[in-house]
Each structure stands twice: as C-alpha cells, then as structure tokens.
Amino acid sequence: MSREKPKNLWLSRWGFVLAATGSAVGLGNIWKFPYITGEYGGGAFVLMYLACILAIGIPVMITEIALGRRGRGSPLDAIGRVVRENNGNPAWKAVGGMAMLAGFMILCFYVVVAGWAFAYTWKMLDGSLAAPSVEALGAVFESHNANPWALGGWSVLVALLTLLIVGKGVQAGVERAFRWMMPGLAVMLLVLVGYSFSNGSFGEGVAFLFTFDASKLSGEALLAALGHAFFTLSLASGAILTYGSYIPDGQSIARTTFIVAIADTCVALLAGLAIFPVIFANGMDPSAGPGLIFMSLPLAFQQMPFGTAFGVLFFAMVSVAALTSAISMIEAVVAYLNEKHGLSRPRGAALAGAVLLVISLLAMLSFNVGADWKLFGMTLFDGLDYLTSRWMMPLGGILMAILAGYCLRDGIMRDELGLSAGGYALWLFMVRYVSPVMIMLVFLHALGWLGFDPLVRWYWVLGAIGTLAVLGELLRPGMQRARVRA
Ligand code: TRP
C-alpha cells in the first residue's frame, strides 16, 4: 500500500473542519442562495437543492476528500498519484486540471461580489445606505456598479488580500480566523432572523422558502439547484480536494463531511429566513437578481436599534466569509505551482494573481462599460458563473464519482474512508448509481433531450438507478479484469 507522505498538515484536529467550513460558507450561502431561490420561485427550488446536497453533494465531497488525502497534493497530482497506484489511465488527471480551472474561473467573478460586501461595510458607515425604500437602495446599488473605478477598486482590494493570505500559507491564518468568525456569523444571522421574525412578513417568507410548488420546476431550475449544491460546498473545483490533502491519516472523512455540509446548509437557510421576510414586508420582488441582499438588508438595519453598528458588523462578517472562500479557490493553483514547478508560495500567488486581476477586472466591467460585451448572450460575469456552476463542477463531480466508484481497485477507497461495512456500502451505492444518474438526468433534461420532468417522476429516477445498478454489476468485473491485464 503506497500512501503518500503528507507535506503539510492541519494544525489541529479541527483544522480541516474549520477550513472546509470556511471554504463552503461564503457568498454562496448569503448572497447566491437567496437570490437564485428568489429567481426560481422559492420552495420547489429549495427542495431540489436540498436533495442535491444529500444525494450528490455529500457523497461527492467524501470522495473528493478521500482522493485528496490518498494522493496528498494539488488536484492534478493527487488524482494522478491515486490513479497510478491503481495502474489506471493517467488521463484522469484532466479531472483535477478541470477542477483547478473551475476554481480559478469562479474566483474571477467571486472577487467582484466580495467587493460588494466590502464596499457595503464601508457604505453602512458613511451613511450612503440611509435610503428610505427598496427602490432607493436599488439605485444606490446601480450607481455603485455603474462606476468602474469604485467597483474595480474594491475587487482589486479583495484580490490582493486573498493573494496575500494564500502567499503566506493558509493553514495558520485560516485556522485562526475561523475560530471566531464562524460563531460570529452564526450569531449575526440568528439576530437577523429574530428581527425578521418580529418585524418582517415572517409567515410569507417561510411559505415562500418551504412551500413546494411543482409548477415552478423546470430543467433550468434543476440545473441551477444541482450547480448550486456544488458551488456552495466548494466541490469539484480543487478547494476541498487540496484541503483534504492536509488531513492527517486516521481522521474520519465521512463525519467531517457531514459537519461541513450541515453547517453550510444551516447558514444558507438562515440567510433565507433573514432576508425573505424583509423582502415581502417591503413589497419587494424576490426575483430582483444579484442585488437582492444589498437592496433589502440595509432597510432592516435602518429600522432596528443599533442598526448601523449591526449592519457594519454584518457586512464585515460577510466580507470575511467571502475572503476565506476566495482563499480556498486559489489554494489549489498555488499548491500546484509550488509542487509541480517549484515556485515558492508567494511567487505562485503573484503569478496566479496577475492573471486573476486581469480577468476579474474584465468581469467587473460587465456591470458598466462592458454590459454589452456578450458571448452566447451572456456577459463575462454571468458566463463565468454559468459555465462553472452548471457544467464544469457537475461534470467534475460525475467523473470523480465514476473514478472512485468503478475504476479504482476496491481496497483503495475502503482503506481511505475507514467506514463500517454498512457505511462503505452506502457510499459505494451513492457514487456508483445515485449521484452519477442524477447528474446525468439533470444534464439531459437541461439540454432538452428528456421530455418529462425526470426528478419529479421519481419512478424514472428509480428505474434508471436500478438499470444502472444491474448493468454496472454485470460489467464491472470485466472492466476490472481488463485493467489488471493492462
Ligand atoms: N462555497 C463557497 C460559497 O458558498 C464558494 C467557494 C469557495 C467555491 N471555494 C469554492 C465555489 C470553490 C466553488 C469552488 O460561497
């Protein structure tokens, strides 16, 4: 059994949990989840998203961490090593390459959104958010975006901070920052939910989030829910795999995954509960788009006691949460440059950072000067989000599931996961049949190749999983024998 020696390890038992939660909890939970839930009409979308977390996100996350720890390295090298240990095809490394590319592409638009959070911390302080209505706050958001110097300045600030931290090495910094940040964010969200409960249209908000209305389901919404499950757990983009490579042997991967996924989901649902009641109480349209939280929450801050101080703290927390996520997106690239090309961490960060600055500034221009620069009808900002969340990450997920479920020798993952027999069988069943089938069905449906609503008609799903299970069991011994001979 050729286990790789770890190069870096987390400082404490909780190191990985803290850092992975820090990566997972970010703008995806507080900004993106509410805004896309609003766009896709509420409850039905939320349910699909939760189903995707459970059936796809968690099994894929367990797989990804295990691959990282087994291969001990950046995504490309780690997957390469695991495949080599198995005498497999080195082409699998491409999955790691695609993951790193996806993480980097996400970062290019993420710094713009993180820039909003930073800018709003400042705007809470200087009084520019003292606008009387949702419309007036919408105008503040628009005028902030219309000015490329302001918008670009904040994105550059976020990018530089990220690079600075990554250049120094993440373990110590991230672990330390997390100890106070996560509890702080949780308390803030609870206070905001408390405010919404007593002053907002809480019932309406809850009904919007949790009433299942099947007519709101569409192929587009399913794909968005699937993509968001990947995005919010930072999956298939190098982050979790690289962090996983720093976990000491012997720590339970499955237990850790559950903690991270539950914390992440709770933060998203709390953010939804905090935001939608305020939106309904103020007659705002929940499908207002990416500006949703920036137009609604400042109104709540104005009305609550100590609102300004609270608002400053809140946006500061969101900024830190965004920063810890941003760090994780580029960590894989820096680890790769370090490991493969011998670049020191600061140099790797500088090199990646130069590219990041150029692309993120171009993405920032999507809100002003470059609003009309479109490829396939999308601005660069939207295009980066669409390509990564809807296609690259789910594709990476399906490939990792197939690699671990079908192609690796039985012992490797069993050894790495250290689960009970039942737990291992459950994981194997999920990555062999459930996760890939569901991702495939969502893809086919989004491409318009399936006429029915596959995930609504659950018997189609069960039928497909069953067929694949039988086929897989019939074909697998052949596949494995072929590999042994090769
Ligand atoms: N999960 C983070 C969020 O919800 C975003 C994030 C961090 C991410 N690292 C990532 C998304 C890597 C995709 C890939 O905000």
Side-chain angles (χ1 to χ4, degrees):
M1 209 74 351
S2 68
R3 264 180 200 275
E4 280 298 316
K5 290 265 168 313
K7 287 164 198 72
N8 295 299
L9 285 180
W10 296 108
L11 301 179
S12 65
R13 238 180 76 67
W14 289 97
F16 174 79
V17 177
L18 292 170
T21 312
S23 168
V25 174
L27 295 165
N29 309 63
I30 296 165
W31 162 74
K32 198 174 179 191
F33 172 73
Y35 115 67
I36 54 179
T37 298
E39 280 190 339
Y40 290 110
F45 177 83
V46 175
L47 190 73
M48 293 321 309
Y49 155 75
L50 293 175
C52 288
I53 294 276
L54 210 60
I56 301 170
I58 292 178
V60 168
M61 189 163 181
I62 294 178
T63 309
E64 185 168 348
I65 299 173
L67 288 173
R69 187 167 75 179
R70 188 69 178 189
R72 293 281 183 211
S74 71
L76 215 140
D77 303 300
I79 293 187
R81 278 194 206 108
V82 174
V83 171
R84 193 164 346 112
E85 179 184 351
N86 194 59
N87 296 324
N89 189 337
W92 279 107
K93 280 201 258 186
V95 179
M98 183 175 73
M100 282 166 40
L101 182 65
F104 192 78
M105 286 166 70
I106 290 169
L107 185 58
C108 291
F109 74 88
Y110 204 82
V111 294
V112 180
V113 185
W116 285 335
F118 276 74
Y120 268 64
T121 312
W122 175 250
K123 281 183 197 293
M124 276 307 312
L125 267 176
D126 80 357
S128 36
L129 295 178
S133 64
V134 170
E135 287 74 33
L137 281 168
V140 173
F141 186 65
E142 306 241 306
S143 76
H144 179 71
N145 290 337
N147 179 354
W149 294 103
L151 198 58
W154 289 106
S155 326
V156 169
L157 177 75
V158 176
L160 291 180
L161 280 173
T162 307
L163 296 167
L164 205 72
I165 302 174
V166 174
K168 279 182 171 301
V170 291
Q171 273 99 355
V174 173
E175 278 194 63
R176 243 175 262 135
F178 265 91
R179 273 161 216 250
W180 55 268
M181 208 216 78
M182 289 309 302
L185 192 64
V187 171
M188 297 263 171
L189 280 171
L190 285 172
V191 173
L192 268 181
V193 173
Y195 170 85
S196 280
F197 182 71
S198 45
N199 298 292
S201 307
F202 201 71
E204 221 176 318
V206 171
F208 181 75
L209 277 171
F210 299 111
T211 311
F212 182 80
D213 174 358
S215 71
K216 298 261 175 61
L217 280 179
S218 62
E220 197 34 45
L222 283 176
L223 188 62
L226 172 68
H228 190 61
F230 276 91
F231 185 89
T232 194
L233 292 177
S234 313
L235 295 180
S237 52
I240 290 296
L241 198 149
T242 310
Y243 279 2
S245 77
Y246 308 143
I247 304 183
D249 292 328
Q251 207 163 312
S252 162
I253 291 178
R255 179 155 357 112
T256 312
T257 298
F258 278 101
I259 298 176
V260 176
I262 290 171
D264 186 75
T265 307
C266 288
V267 173
L269 293 178
L270 282 178
L273 283 178
I275 289 160
F276 285 109
V278 174
I279 285 169
F280 290 119
N282 291 285
M284 186 180 173
D285 180 5
S287 63
L292 191 70
I293 69 163
F294 300 103
M295 302 176 196
S296 54
L297 288 180
L299 214 54
F301 295 139
Q302 277 172 38
Q303 294 158 4
M304 61 174 79
F306 307 107
T308 306
F310 193 79
V312 172
L313 270 175
F314 177 79
F315 281 117
M317 285 282 175
V318 175
S319 305
V320 180
L323 209 55
T324 51
S325 297
I327 291 164
S328 75
M329 292 177 211
I330 202 168
E331 169 66 15
V333 176
V334 174
Y336 169 75
L337 291 173
N338 180 258
E339 202 173 305
K340 206 67 186 178
H341 300 284
L343 250 57
S344 66
R345 289 193 63 101
R347 280 185 188 217
L351 180 66
V355 183
L356 168 68
L357 281 175
V358 174
I359 302 181
S360 63
L361 283 175
L362 288 173
M364 175 278 292
L365 293 180
S366 296
F367 289 95
N368 37 67
V369 186
D372 298 326
W373 305 342
K374 290 197 174 158
L375 206 62
F376 300 111
M378 263 182 265
T379 60
L380 180 61
F381 180 93
D382 293 336
L384 287 169
D385 184 11
Y386 180 81
L387 264 181
T388 49
S389 283
R390 310 287 168 91
W391 301 101
M392 291 169 80
M393 289 193 279
L395 187 64
I398 209 173
L399 289 173
M400 283 192 291
I402 290 174
L403 171 63
Y406 291 94
C407 302
L408 291 184
R409 199 169 356 99
D410 222 15
I412 296 189
M413 284 288 141
R414 191 194 300 273
D415 182 32
E416 203 52 47
L417 293 174
L419 289 167
S420 65
Y424 179 73
L426 180 62
W427 167 80
L428 200 58
F429 182 74
M430 297 304 281
V431 294
R432 270 198 191 150
Y433 311 119
V434 181
S435 315
V437 168
M438 284 184 52
I439 298 176
M440 245 3 251
L441 288 176
V442 175
F443 272 174
L444 293 178
H445 193 257
L447 290 170
W449 294 354
L450 290 182
F452 48 89
D453 237 328
L455 299 185
V456 184
R457 307 269 171 84
W458 52 270
Y459 46 84
W460 283 109
V461 184
L462 293 184
I465 292 175
T467 313
L468 201 92
V470 173
L471 268 181
E473 290 312 316
L474 288 179
L475 293 179
R476 208 169 42 81
M479 283 161 70
Q480 284 186 333
R481 235 175 294 125
R483 209 196 39 247
V484 171
R485 240 180 279 126

